[in-house]
Amino acid sequence: MRLVHLDLKGAAPRISYLEQVFPLLSQLGANGVLIEYEDMFPFKEELEILRSPYAYSEEDIEQIQQLAELHKLEVVPLVQTFGHVEFILKHEKYQHLREVERFPNSFNPHIPDTLALLKSILSQVIEKHRRSTWIHIGADEVFHLGEGMDSKNWMSYNKGDTGTIYLKHIKEVLGFITTQYWGLRVLMWDDMLRKISVGALQGMVTLVAHICPAAEPFLTKYVESGFEAVWFASAFKGTTGPVQAWPPLSYHLKNHLSWLKVMQALPQLTPLRFQGIVLTGWQRYDHYSVLCELLPVGIPSLAICLQTLVNGGFTEETKRKVLDVLGFQSMQLEQSTCEGRGTFPGAEIYHMVEQVNSHLKESIIKALEEESAIKGWFSPYHRKRLFGNPRNMESFGSKVLKLHEDWESFIRDLHGHLERVYFPDTVEEWMEENVNPYLDQLRDLVRDYQ
């Protein structure tokens, strides 16, 4: 299986955009989507507080599944069940369920209300995904586990460690899923399992036989623990920095070429069955961080990575197929650029973000910092006191006004394209992070000049 991860804890696309993207995913070789809804799920009743103002409706969730079915994509919902639960624990209503009171990252597994809440959340998500044969329970990066008083007391009383606490909670979650939803298979990330002994892991295997390691040295350990099947987790965007706006193509290609080597070596290494790979595309590092690369901007990287997996390498033929499907003439992997108009959904956003990323800041700094007439006759001192020599001001005025007008017109266009794909909160956030810090300097200068 080749699942494309849709991380909706930031920049969740409108359904109309997914309608265009799903056929493309299928064409490029994906056969499933891993959907991390977070606050975009239409939680109801006592869980309604968890919904984003722009959350999908129940009809939207149904439409996503119909679209996936139409394009032969398996839908795997992802529900975080231990760490990365800021969208839950930020609410005062659930603050008492934090492992450490100051931090909203992770659940306190010792409070009965924690499991009760998780059962509620899992039930609502699973009930709306009755076609799905898999569920992913996250369970990665449980920061501060063992630091809360309840955990310290539990470890002291039971002579246990954080690994024991972790497994106990995960077994309770898995126990609920396997008894309530017979036959539903469970996936989880493996980073928290890496420090846990083989002996301790053996008890988990009857409940979850499928893990997603992000590193190959741990495979032997999982074999010894009795796991039967393994998934891998790569990345096509969202892993090279919390504020990354443009995916480095060669970096992500190399990541997939490395995984191919592991897949090819797997039969010699272990009796583990290789079940699939998740191509992660993180949209935020966590609920509170800023947006990483937008999905339309990441599509060329995704296309390269998917086709590399399908063809067992990145050959000329692979490259040609990617260019044909995306409507590009050529690509420069080291420069992370693709040339040509592009015919894929969101190609306009791809090109416009490239302009912002490579020229906006540079062109404004050049105009403001390198223009001697601005530095000499229109400095912050002049602007604050509202005086200046019109003769010298006119020498840079038309150039600055033209630059301002050109960028404002460009940004209006970009705004329109973004609004067709994203909800208003995403558009506002992306503009405030990537455009306004630079354009506002130019806007202020023009206002003062006028």
Side-chain angles (χ1 to χ4, degrees), residues 141-383:
E141 296 187 338
V142 187
F143 299 132
H144 310 292
L145 182 61
E147 292 175 24
M149 273 321 295
D150 286 350
S151 284
K152 285 177 178 168
N153 293 337
W154 189 92
M155 288 189 288
S156 158
Y157 184 76
N158 293 281
K159 299 185 172 45
D161 57 12
T162 53
T164 330
I165 295 175
Y166 179 81
L167 286 183
K168 181 177 176 293
H169 176 71
I170 293 301
K171 281 178 186 171
E172 286 172 344
V173 170
L174 294 170
F176 167 71
I177 294 170
T178 49
T179 51
Q180 290 297 117
Y181 302 98
W182 192 85
L184 186 62
R185 289 174 289 177
V186 182
L187 277 164
M188 63 184 286
W189 305 124
D190 85 312
D191 56 294
M192 297 296 292
L193 301 177
R194 292 176 199 170
K195 297 188 186 100
I196 296 174
S197 72
V198 168
L201 286 178
Q202 282 168 337
M204 267 185 71
V205 173
T206 52
L207 297 168
V208 54
H210 310 278
I211 43 175
C212 298
E216 168 245 341
F218 299 97
L219 292 175
T220 317
K221 175 181 182 173
Y222 297 138
V223 174
E224 288 166 10
S225 303
F227 285 97
E228 298 159 12
V230 69
W231 290 58
F232 296 138
S234 62
F236 70 92
K237 75 176 188 77
T239 53
T240 52
V243 294
Q244 187 77 19
W246 198 254
L249 294 181
S250 63
Y251 175 91
H252 291 295
L253 171 59
K254 283 172 191 156
N255 178 234
H256 286 78
L257 292 171
S258 301
W259 276 118
L260 276 173
K261 283 185 186 155
V262 178
M263 288 172 206
Q264 284 148 9
L266 192 64
Q268 288 87 54
L269 279 171
T270 70
L272 273 179
R273 192 170 78 257
F274 169 58
Q275 184 104 41
I277 185 164
V278 176
L279 292 89
T280 63
W282 305 101
Q283 196 52 74
R284 298 187 194 280
Y285 276 38
D286 72 22
H287 183 77
Y288 284 98
S289 68
V290 299
L291 296 169
C292 308
E293 308 97 312
L294 295 173
L295 183 55
V297 171
I299 282 179
S301 174
L302 175 59
I304 290 166
C305 297
L306 265 173
Q307 277 294 298
T308 297
L309 293 175
V310 170
N311 296 316
F314 189 68
T315 59
E316 274 306 311
E317 191 187 334
T318 311
K319 186 175 174 180
R320 176 52 40 210
K321 166 93 190 264
V322 169
L323 292 172
D324 287 349
V325 170
L326 299 182
F328 285 133
Q329 270 76 58
S330 62
M331 65 173 73
Q332 310 301 324
L333 290 176
E334 291 308 322
Q335 285 76 46
S336 299
T337 56
C338 297
E339 291 78 32
R341 202 168 67 85
T343 51
F344 63 92
E348 308 86 357
I349 292 174
Y350 173 86
H351 286 303
M352 295 179 99
V353 169
E354 185 178 21
Q355 289 299 308
V356 168
N357 196 50
S358 54
H359 300 306
L360 176 69
K361 180 180 178 182
E362 187 188 304
S363 71
I364 290 172
I365 286 173
K366 194 169 181 206
L368 303 190
E369 300 287 320
E370 295 177 18
E371 180 63 67
S372 65
I374 291 180
K375 295 188 100 159
W377 279 271
F378 203 55
S379 72
Y381 181 85
H382 293 94
R383 289 165 64 184

